[in-house]
Amino acid sequence: MRGLLNPRAMSKEATRIVEVLRGAQPVGAEVVIEGWVRTRRDSKAGLSFVNVHDGSCFDAIQVVAASDLAEYEEVVLALGAGCAVRVRGSVVPSQGKGQSVELKALAIELVGDVESPETYPMQPKRHSMEYLREVGHLRPRTNVIGAVTRVRHTLSQAVHRFFHERGFYWIHTPIITASDAEGAGQMFRVSTLDLANLPRTKDGAVDFDQDFFGKESFLTVSGQLNVETYCCALSKVYTFGPTFRAENSNTRRHLAEFWMIEPEIAFADLADDVALAEDFLKSIFRALLDERDDDLRFFASFVDKECITRLEKLVESDFERMSYTEAVERLQKSGKKFEFEPRWGADLQSEHERYLTEEVVGRPIAVLDYPKDIKAFYMRQNDDGKTVAAMDVLAPGIGEIIGGSQREERLDRLDARIDEMGLPKDHYDWYRDLRRYGTVPHAGFGLGFERAILYATGMENIRDVIPFPRAPRQIDF
RNA sequence: UCCGGAGUAGCUCAGUGGUAGAGCGAUCGGCUGUUAACCGAUUGGUCGUAGGUUCGAGUCCUACCUCCGGAGCCA
């Protein structure tokens, strides 16, 4: 504990608050903590209570500063919400309720003052999520965004750990792409052309030959087609990266920039794919239950009281499997009045999905073999001539959480679909090559990472589970 | 993009044609081993913007902007 006796040398020895609160530092130990003040309360008994958080865990630590500290008048009594401080103190059992240990201050240093407390946007009170979005640079200091951030991190780590432990390789698929016909929504254009003075070809079209890549280029809407190439070489692969959609979607479950997880497995069929999805969801949510109990208890108390039991139930229950055809029949026979009547050949509506998973089976369900006409060109055609080997995993409380399929590995069948759907075959030459050279049955799925976080936390708006939300007319911070 | 709702003090909201309010915050004081403390005082607003109706508009009308919810699209 070299240097601790000199307040000016405190920073190199700082201890994370979580270690103090969890007892990693024994009672009597002298530690330095660094963080931001949440609240200060003064007692006429000659001491002040300063709550300090550093993001290392949900809780703040209570610093007890006695009035005989040299800097009491000048520093301690000037502390307020948001001040950055460094505190040297000894770990002591708390005399009050609400915490088992606290820090008896030996020295307090004001590292960064709050210039004008009356304009500091983070008041010591509950704020609306809408307001917090307007102060996106300061909202990480709140309980709720801090908790979301730690949950997000833990789930990210669990994703990578899950795949790594099972022999999957993480493939960094490209962010910029020239594939303009993946059929997954509007794309953002990437260009270095001068918008005010676009080069033209002889027939008046924009001359993309003069653009940076010499072709029309976009931000990716999915890494799937790219990751399939690595799947057909390294067998088990996945992507986990940003994805972009230029749809004008103004809802609480859409972002223009979000993170997607897409595993792809070779020598595998749809049943293998569903089994992987089930293992995957159970694994990452079990990790969350194990590692972020403090934050989950916060969500259960203040955001969604069902969130922990929902996770526990998902982790423990076996997923139901049901064909799309049977699902439609069950919906039609349910007698329940839906806004949209369930009909074979139409996609399942949100209300249908929730009814199936919440009321018909009461646990997660994988719906299999959808009509080919409502699914993408690359999905494997079933022998019935009507359906493809697609699957959606539906979960209580949210509906669709995963969508995937076995891929069409037969070149003639793939080409037939490309032609039927009027897609430009030349764009898919490299994708078709995978079917010409050592083709293999393979399958995969996609999971919107932010939607998984919504599910785990009970947060309502997807803009609050990503650090910097990008959505139509929203790109601040 | 379509449908619905909402923009009033730093924040959350009340105010339904006649002199702009409360709680919280902030500031000051009191009290207390305190827990987003408690008690008192002070501070605080071109009522989203632009037009219009009216003797008079926060309130009624029109347009626009922004946000929220639902739908569509999807992850």
Side-chain angles (χ1 to χ4, degrees):
Chain A
M1 288 286 140
R2 154 176 50 96
L4 282 186
L5 296 177
N6 178 359
R8 299 191 200 297
M10 294 193 292
S11 65
K12 301 217 188 309
E13 307 287 344
T15 301
R16 294 161 72 229
I17 287 169
V18 63
E19 293 176 30
V20 180
L21 293 179
R22 287 191 185 163
Q25 296 288 333
V27 166
E30 193 174 306
V31 300
V32 171
I33 58 133
E34 297 167 327
W36 292 265
V37 172
R38 277 270 170 72
T39 59
R40 189 194 91 230
R41 295 173 296 277
D42 304 321
S43 167
K44 272 294 175 292
L47 65 167
S48 293
F49 301 94
V50 184
N51 277 75
V52 180
H53 75 101
D54 68 356
S56 61
C57 58
F58 181 81
D59 289 312
I61 193 168
Q62 174 157 284
V63 171
V64 183
S67 58
D68 56 10
L69 276 177
E71 63 273 34
Y72 185 75
E73 295 280 336
E74 198 174 328
V75 175
V76 176
L77 289 185
L79 292 177
C83 289
V85 293
R86 184 175 295 129
V87 180
R88 181 167 56 89
S90 54
V91 179
V92 297
S94 180
Q95 296 176 33
K97 292 172 186 164
Q99 59 281 317
S100 57
V101 296
E102 59 195 23
L103 207 59
K104 181 170 165 45
L106 300 169
I108 298 185
E109 179 186 341
L110 179 63
V111 176
D113 200 3
V114 169
E115 286 187 4
S116 51
E118 64 274 15
T119 64
Y120 183 56
M122 297 292 106
Q123 300 171 358
K125 56 184 278 192
R126 190 166 189 165
H127 284 116
S128 67
M129 297 310 300
E130 291 82 5
Y131 173 69
L132 291 179
R133 259 170 248 150
E134 294 172 12
V135 285
H137 56 312
L138 295 169
R139 71 174 189 169
R141 302 182 182 194
T142 61
N143 279 331
V144 62
I145 299 297
V148 163
T149 303
R150 285 182 295 271
V151 164
R152 188 180 173 104
H153 167 83
T154 297
L155 284 174
S156 298
Q157 293 292 325
V159 166
H160 287 303
R161 198 161 58 237
F162 173 87
F163 288 126
H164 178 71
E165 287 171 353
R166 286 162 181 75
F168 285 68
Y169 297 107
W170 180 18
I171 310 301
H172 299 131
T173 50
I175 307 294
I176 302 173
T177 176
S179 301
D180 64 347
E182 290 169 14
Q186 289 289 108
M187 303 177 83
F188 286 102
R189 180 181 301 286
V190 174
S191 176
T192 54
L193 294 178
D194 180 1
L195 284 177
N197 186 22
L198 289 171
R200 302 282 176 176
T201 59
K202 286 196 184 84
D203 54 5
V206 174
D207 185 6
F208 287 105
D209 192 52
Q210 294 188 39
D211 205 347
F212 187 89
F213 295 106
K215 277 186 181 181
E216 272 196 279
S217 309
F218 307 89
L219 295 180
T220 183
V221 293
S222 165
Q224 181 201 314
L225 300 191
N226 287 290
V227 90
E228 279 187 51
T229 69
Y230 275 73
C231 175
C232 294
L234 298 170
S235 302
K236 296 201 284 185
V237 297
Y238 70 106
T239 72
F240 186 178
T243 309
F244 307 87
R245 303 279 169 91
E247 296 286 339
N248 190 10
S249 298
N250 294 285
T251 81
R252 62 189 178 88
R253 43 174 84 203
H254 289 86
L255 289 167
E257 175 183 284
F258 62 98
W259 287 61
M260 192 149 65
I261 297 156
E262 296 170 293
E264 194 76 24
I265 45 178
F267 303 96
D269 61 14
L270 190 65
D272 299 319
D273 202 32
V274 174
L276 178 68
E278 178 170 356
D279 280 352
F280 172 76
L281 288 177
K282 287 179 174 176
S283 174
I284 64 171
F285 289 138
R286 185 177 291 114
L288 185 63
L289 286 165
D290 289 346
E291 297 170 29
R292 287 259 61 95
D293 183 58
D294 56 346
D295 293 316
L296 288 179
R297 277 189 284 111
F298 166 77
F299 289 114
S301 299
F302 292 99
V303 176
D304 172 12
K305 61 179 185 294
E306 298 300 321
C307 75
I308 293 178
T309 50
R310 188 170 58 233
L311 287 174
E312 286 172 339
K313 218 173 153 185
L314 181 140
V315 163
E316 287 156 12
S317 58
D318 291 328
F319 291 15
E320 176 88 15
R321 272 93 168 147
M322 184 186 294
S323 74
Y324 166 88
T325 301
E326 184 186 345
V328 170
E329 286 170 3
R330 296 281 286 269
L331 288 166
Q332 287 171 336
K333 287 177 187 161
S334 69
K336 187 172 167 74
K337 190 78 182 160
F338 295 106
E339 190 183 342
F340 293 92
E341 278 305 305
R343 179 177 61 81
W344 200 99
D347 214 349
L348 298 178
Q349 300 286 319
S350 300
E351 56 176 340
H352 303 148
E353 294 178 341
R354 293 193 58 164
Y355 180 79
L356 284 171
T357 185
E358 288 167 18
E359 298 187 46
V360 175
V361 299
R363 56 200 162 96
I365 174 174
V367 179
L368 313 172
D369 299 320
Y370 282 75
K372 65 176 182 181
D373 291 336
I374 58 172
K375 289 294 181 182
F377 75 93
Y378 50 74
M379 296 187 178
R380 191 178 197 277
Q381 296 156 58
N382 288 326
D383 293 340
D384 61 15
K386 298 186 298 183
T387 61
V388 289
M391 65 96 168
D392 283 352
V393 176
L394 316 179
I398 193 171
E400 181 182 340
I401 189 168
I402 277 179
S405 70
Q406 183 174 343
R407 319 308 188 188
E408 182 55 77
E409 85 282 10
R410 300 160 296 187
L411 182 63
D412 57 331
R413 306 297 291 269
L414 182 68
D415 282 347
R417 279 306 277 160
I418 289 176
D419 291 340
E420 274 176 42
M421 299 175 78
L423 299 172
K425 195 177 283 176
D426 58 321
H427 278 84
Y428 299 105
D429 280 346
W430 58 265
Y431 188 72
R432 295 171 61 245
D433 269 0
L434 298 176
R435 279 72 182 167
R436 300 170 64 201
Y437 305 120
T439 191
V440 64
H442 61 290
F445 64 79
L447 168 76
F449 187 49
E450 285 76 18
R451 290 192 177 173
I453 300 172
L454 289 181
Y455 179 78
T457 59
M459 293 289 288
E460 289 188 341
N461 195 309
I462 200 165
R463 299 174 191 203
D464 302 321
V465 299
I466 190 166
F468 298 97
R470 270 81 179 98
R473 309 204 61 80
Q474 181 166 32
I475 193 163
D476 289 335
F477 312 108

